[in-house]
Amino acid sequence: MSVYDTNSESDTGFADFVKGGGVGLANPAVSKSRRRLLDLINRLHSTGAQVDIDLPQIAVTGSQSAGKSSLIESISGITLPRATGTCTRCPTECRLASSTETWKSIISLRFIKDANGQLLGTARNEQFGEVIHDKAEVEERIRRAQRAILNPNRRSTDFLEGEDEDLPENLLSFSTNCVSVQITGPGVADLSFCDLPGLIASVGSTGNEGDIKLVKTLVESYISKPSCLILLTVACETDFENQGAHHLAKMHDPEGKRTIGVLTKPDRIPPGDEAGWLNFIRNEREPLENNWYCVKQPSSSDIKNGITWAEARTKENEFFAMTTPWAEVDPMYQRYLRTSNLVERLSNILSDLISKRLPDIQVELEHAMEGALDQLAKLPKEPSKNPLHEISALLAAFSMDVSKHVEGKPDEEGILQSIRPAQEMFKRDIRGTVPQFRPFERSVAGDQVLFAAPSFLSNEEDDKAGYDGGGEAFHDCICVDEVHTRTLHARTRELPGHYPFVVQTSYILTFTEKWHTPAKILCRSVYGVLTELINRLITEHFGSFGQQLLEQRVRVCVQEHLKKQLEQTEARIEWLVKLEALPYTLNTHYLSDYTEKFLAYYKGARSKQEHGALTSALESSHSTVSEILSGLNTVGISGVQGEDLAKLLPADRMEASLRIMADVRAYFQVAYKRFADNVPLAIDYDLVRGVDRGLLATLSERLGIYGSNGKDICEELTQESPQVAGRREELMKKLERLQSASEELMGTS
């Protein structure tokens, strides 16, 4: 059984009683199976697993001078260190075991945390001094062991010998590390307990106010656990309402299911107040599931007079058997009086709790280990012992990933899929610069701005917006008479009917000059999409590595690399735009074909405008055509077909201008398709694919990992962030504790 005492009182200890040969309440009826359960729980506590899982235990709580130290000493047969006020400043665990061998005690230091207050893996148990065979030496050894616990920065052996004044001042006020006292011998009870720092109500003028909260937190870390049985010690000499330990216990066990009450010092009840305390024994006041008990320990004068353990137990029996009102308590409540009854009840309750909890403890251990492993798996990969190799591997993996993306991935969020909308917009913008020629004079073209789009383009363009016959504003259209005027102004020494090529060139420049902006917009759009992708890949590959220093440096290097590729790409686009300022093509067949088609298109539209009546008559009246052909035959003109009649119309004075319009419009068809392909190709080659070319070599060179200082640079880059390193260490220590506890359980299965 584990008894955890949360207070050290100021009354005198049982030194003389212990020296006189008194021992604990040995219970020979305790079964071997119960002893094995108790030993198992003690071993689990030795691993430190109580930090992670809920282990069965008993915590004794009480206000100062509540008599619980006397109770513990009566049970254990040893004397605890005493002083005025609170003297217990770290847990002191005692493990008692009955044995036929000579009485002995081994005192050890158990460190659950290191000198910096960080949890260790498996708790470290360190024997403090030689084996003790004289009970009178235990108190002093425990006191020195507590001093060693409070000074974790010094060797524990420094506190084994020497006078008190030679020992250093305590570094800590309190500690969660504990002193473990193992006692075996004839007649020793099979149980354990732990004396914890007592709850502090005030610290006085020389105390530290922070200690009040520290002690309260330490006590609550025990009694707040569901498998902790709370042994609440209350002194009958003080008003019940004034004893703060009860309020703390009730806060964590409001229904009283795991609290066992103990009334001490019943001989100091003021006359006339006995009935009020009997209501606790009858479980009528502050009822508890496991009831209230009452014990009577020897007085200070009895101990000084050398009372023996047997005499103390006899006097306790006489007190409850002969003192009113305890002697008059109904027989059914007599079992809640005397120390022996309390110890037996505690032993039964704890044994039952251990038996019920063991299967759950195994499951909880497995779940806790799985949880710790899952959390470890979510942490960034632990730094390698070879930082250069690790960084090289990371850079290579990043470079390969970039290469896969720029080559194209069958994913709607791929780089090629992401830039396609911008490419389509660029193509529409270039097509939108088509010259809007109108084969009509400006004076009559107002009613002819909208006319049928060329049918021969229907299979080529999927978007007719802005094209011939489209809805361009009237002032943006170029009328045939305006073309004619420009040709006349451009003539120098040409023969009549001939015009310089500068006219076509000037019109070609009106649309090629507009191509620079859409091309630059496309380049910047692709750069933005590419930058977003690269930054995401940098975060994926390096974001959780080290202290993000590698990520930051890679990001800077890649940004510089991207900007260099952007500058190169924009220079290429400038070059392509300049090329288009000089009209040229070897695709003469394509150009000639479109020139003839556009010339016929413009002539047809103009003919309908100027000779609409004749054309309509010829198209609508077959008899009219026959009459004209018959008349021509009469005057000796034969062989003329109906479709030849239009040729008899007078020559159009705008013939040359229409030809220039057809030349320019046909060249646009050739040039825009060429430019709409070349710019995206250049961007793809110089920017998208360009970011991959030499990326790995660039990163390696700029990071300097293969230089003379490469080793130092790699070590700096691989340093893990303190947060991640701390979390990894914490989880590894937790796994170590849980695995140790699991091995203890498996070893007893």
Side-chain angles (χ1 to χ4, degrees):
M1 173 173 54
S2 300
V3 181
Y4 294 83
D5 180 16
T6 63
N7 182 57
S8 292
E9 55 190 317
S10 59
D11 58 337
T12 306
F14 284 18
D16 295 334
F17 160 61
V18 174
K19 292 177 183 178
V23 294
L25 299 178
N27 186 356
V30 176
S31 65
K32 292 183 179 179
S33 61
R34 178 179 295 179
R35 171 67 180 274
R36 286 196 298 268
L37 290 176
L38 178 59
D39 289 343
L40 174 58
I41 290 298
N42 286 337
R43 291 198 302 272
L44 292 179
H45 276 284
S46 295
T47 66
Q50 66 271 22
V51 174
D52 309 295
I53 59 174
D54 186 17
L55 296 179
Q57 56 187 3
I58 296 178
V60 182
T61 63
S63 302
Q64 292 183 359
S65 302
K68 60 185 180 59
S69 292
S70 298
L71 173 63
I72 291 172
E73 291 173 332
S74 176
I75 296 173
S76 66
I78 64 171
T79 302
L80 301 178
R82 301 275 185 125
T84 302
T86 300
C87 69
T88 303
R89 295 184 175 272
C90 69
T92 303
E93 179 189 73
C94 289
R95 298 179 177 180
L96 313 178
S98 178
S99 172
T100 57
E101 298 178 358
T102 304
W103 187 97
K104 65 179 180 180
S105 174
I106 300 175
I107 297 180
S108 303
L109 309 180
R110 180 182 304 156
F111 294 94
I112 298 176
K113 295 183 179 180
D114 61 19
N116 297 319
Q118 300 299 314
L119 283 171
L120 297 172
T122 302
R124 187 175 81 248
N125 295 281
E126 176 183 326
Q127 184 170 326
F128 186 71
E130 301 295 330
V131 177
I132 299 175
H133 294 283
D134 185 353
K135 298 188 183 81
E137 298 178 6
V138 175
E139 179 183 1
E140 177 64 15
R141 185 73 62 84
I142 292 176
R143 186 175 62 83
R144 289 177 176 269
Q146 289 178 349
R147 295 290 299 276
I149 289 291
L150 296 176
N151 293 275
N153 58 331
R154 298 181 62 93
R155 295 181 306 173
S156 59
T157 54
D158 293 345
F159 298 88
L160 276 172
E161 298 177 355
E163 300 297 328
D164 284 349
E165 55 269 17
D166 297 330
L167 297 178
E169 292 294 328
N170 292 335
L171 177 66
L172 305 176
S173 296
F174 294 91
S175 175
T176 55
N177 294 325
C178 73
V179 176
S180 178
V181 182
Q182 182 179 352
I183 298 175
T184 59
V188 176
D190 286 316
L191 54 92
S192 301
F193 64 86
C194 187
D195 182 26
L196 297 179
L199 294 173
I200 305 175
S202 61
V203 294
S205 58
T206 60
N208 186 349
E209 290 289 341
D211 289 345
I212 297 177
K213 184 176 181 180
L214 282 175
V215 174
K216 181 174 180 291
T217 301
L218 177 60
V219 172
E220 287 185 303
S221 69
Y222 284 80
I223 67 174
S224 62
K225 295 182 178 181
S227 295
C228 175
L229 298 175
I230 305 172
L231 192 61
L232 176 61
T233 306
V234 176
C236 295
E237 63 178 344
T238 306
D239 289 343
F240 180 81
E241 290 76 10
N242 295 332
Q243 304 192 44
H246 167 256
H247 300 291
L248 193 63
K250 193 166 186 178
M251 179 170 57
H252 293 283
D253 181 29
E255 297 181 3
K257 290 187 176 181
R258 53 188 182 88
T259 301
I260 304 167
V262 181
L263 304 179
T264 64
K265 304 180 181 181
D267 54 325
R268 299 185 186 180
I269 299 176
D273 292 345
E274 295 86 353
W277 293 103
L278 285 177
N279 290 335
F280 286 95
I281 300 301
R282 298 189 183 99
N283 218 24
E284 296 173 351
R285 183 178 179 185
E286 297 293 339
L288 302 173
E289 186 169 301
N290 289 292
N291 222 88
W292 288 82
Y293 287 77
C294 186
V295 298
K296 166 67 171 66
Q297 304 303 336
S299 63
S300 299
S301 60
D302 290 335
I303 297 174
K304 290 179 180 179
N305 292 330
I307 188 173
T308 65
W309 172 84
E311 292 172 343
R313 296 283 67 80
T314 299
K315 292 193 67 172
E316 181 185 36
N317 288 331
E318 290 176 352
F319 174 81
F320 286 115
M322 303 174 60
T323 305
T324 304
W326 309 103
E328 300 170 357
V329 171
D330 293 342
M332 64 178 297
Y333 297 118
Q334 286 292 329
R335 57 179 176 173
Y336 299 123
L337 306 178
R338 300 173 181 81
T339 304
S340 58
N341 290 332
L342 171 63
V343 171
E344 183 178 359
R345 180 57 177 161
L346 289 176
S347 180
N348 291 333
I349 294 174
L350 184 59
S351 297
D352 291 343
L353 179 59
I354 294 174
S355 298
K356 293 177 181 178
R357 283 282 297 143
L358 274 182
D360 293 335
I361 290 174
Q362 181 63 54
V363 173
E364 290 172 13
L365 279 172
E366 293 174 357
H367 288 170
M369 285 190 288
E370 290 175 1
L373 289 172
D374 289 342
Q375 294 178 59
L376 272 174
K378 294 177 181 178
L379 291 179
K381 184 181 178 182
E382 189 173 5
S384 169
K385 302 299 181 182
N386 188 341
L388 175 59
H389 174 76
E390 183 171 16
I391 291 178
S392 298
L394 282 172
L395 295 177
F398 168 69
S399 180
M400 289 179 60
D401 203 6
V402 171
S403 180
K404 289 179 181 178
H405 278 82
V406 300
E407 283 299 320
K409 298 183 70 175
D411 187 343
E412 63 179 354
E413 296 183 357
I415 180 68
L416 300 184
Q417 292 84 342
S418 298
I419 66 177
R420 191 163 294 144
Q423 292 174 332
E424 295 295 333
M425 178 62 71
F426 164 74
K427 185 178 180 181
R428 287 195 296 271
D429 290 343
I430 298 301
R431 277 163 41 190
T433 63
V434 59
Q436 295 290 330
F437 289 117
R438 296 293 183 263
F440 318 115
E441 283 81 354
R442 175 68 64 177
S443 60
V444 298
D447 298 330
Q448 305 292 338
V449 174
L450 295 177
F451 65 106
S455 60
F456 54 84
L457 294 180
S458 60
N459 294 329
E460 297 186 26
E461 315 299 349
D462 56 0
D463 185 357
K464 306 302 186 296
Y467 270 71
D468 311 78
E472 292 295 318
F474 177 59
H475 61 79
D476 290 331
C477 297
I478 306 172
C479 295
V480 67
D481 56 333
E482 294 168 342
V483 177
H484 179 68
T485 300
R486 180 176 291 192
T487 58
L488 291 177
H489 291 167
R491 284 188 63 191
T492 56
R493 292 188 173 89
E494 289 82 6
L495 293 173
H498 294 80
Y499 303 94
F501 184 65
V502 68
V503 178
Q504 284 94 327
T505 301
S506 65
Y507 280 117
I508 289 173
L509 288 178
T510 60
F511 60 77
T512 58
E513 288 176 348
K514 299 176 182 178
W515 290 356
H516 179 268
T517 298
K520 189 172 183 179
I521 291 175
L522 173 62
C523 182
R524 289 287 177 169
S525 297
V526 173
Y527 175 76
V529 174
L530 185 61
T531 300
E532 183 179 354
L533 168 67
I534 296 300
N535 283 334
R536 176 168 59 83
L537 294 179
I538 290 174
T539 301
E540 289 177 1
H541 285 267
F542 307 104
S544 59
F545 183 81
Q547 300 187 48
Q548 284 77 52
L549 184 59
L550 179 60
E551 177 190 8
Q552 295 170 7
R553 294 190 182 178
V554 168
R555 195 179 301 280
V556 171
C557 293
V558 174
Q559 286 175 350
E560 293 176 355
H561 183 62
L562 270 172
K563 288 181 180 178
K564 179 181 177 181
Q565 297 306 124
L566 175 64
E567 293 171 357
Q568 179 177 327
T569 306
E570 289 183 331
R572 181 86 67 182
I573 290 174
E574 294 287 344
W575 180 74
L576 288 173
V577 171
K578 290 178 181 179
L579 285 182
E580 294 299 336
L582 302 173
Y584 179 80
T585 182
L586 288 178
N587 196 356
T588 54
H589 175 76
Y590 190 78
L591 180 64
S592 298
D593 182 58
Y594 269 103
T595 299
E596 294 303 320
K597 288 180 179 178
F598 275 108
L599 181 59
Y601 168 66
Y602 290 141
K603 282 184 176 182
R606 182 172 175 77
S607 176
K608 286 184 179 181
Q609 187 264 329
E610 291 194 345
H611 307 286
L614 175 60
T615 302
S616 298
L618 292 175
E619 290 178 352
S620 63
S621 176
H622 180 71
S623 61
T624 301
V625 173
S626 298
E627 291 175 0
I628 294 174
L629 293 177
S630 175
L632 290 174
N633 286 328
T634 302
V635 297
I637 302 176
S638 59
V640 178
Q641 303 297 323
E643 56 269 20
D644 296 328
L645 292 178
K647 298 177 182 179
L648 299 178
L649 297 173
D652 191 344
R653 65 188 180 89
M654 297 292 181
E655 178 76 19
S657 298
L658 293 174
R659 169 66 66 175
I660 291 174
M661 291 167 54
D663 286 344
V664 174
R665 182 62 183 82
Y667 183 79
F668 175 85
Q669 204 67 17
V670 174
Y672 108 81
K673 290 186 177 181
R674 175 178 63 203
F675 190 75
D677 279 341
N678 286 341
V679 170
L681 278 173
I683 293 174
D684 183 64
Y685 180 80
D686 287 326
L687 186 56
V688 179
R689 294 177 182 267
V691 72
D692 181 38
R693 283 193 296 274
L695 177 61
L696 182 58
T698 299
L699 288 174
S700 301
E701 179 182 356
R702 293 185 180 180
L703 290 173
I705 60 175
Y706 296 118
S708 57
N709 297 326
K711 181 179 179 182
D712 295 335
I713 292 174
C714 290
E715 289 179 351
E716 179 186 13
L717 294 176
T718 54
Q719 287 183 358
E720 195 170 36
S721 69
Q723 294 80 6
V724 174
R727 181 58 176 159
R728 187 190 312 281
E729 182 180 9
E730 177 185 330
L731 290 171
M732 291 299 294
K733 290 177 179 179
K734 180 176 182 178
L735 270 177
E736 183 181 343
R737 291 191 299 271
L738 295 172
Q739 288 170 349
S740 297
S742 181
E743 290 172 2
E744 291 290 350
L745 279 178
M746 296 300 292
T748 59
S749 60

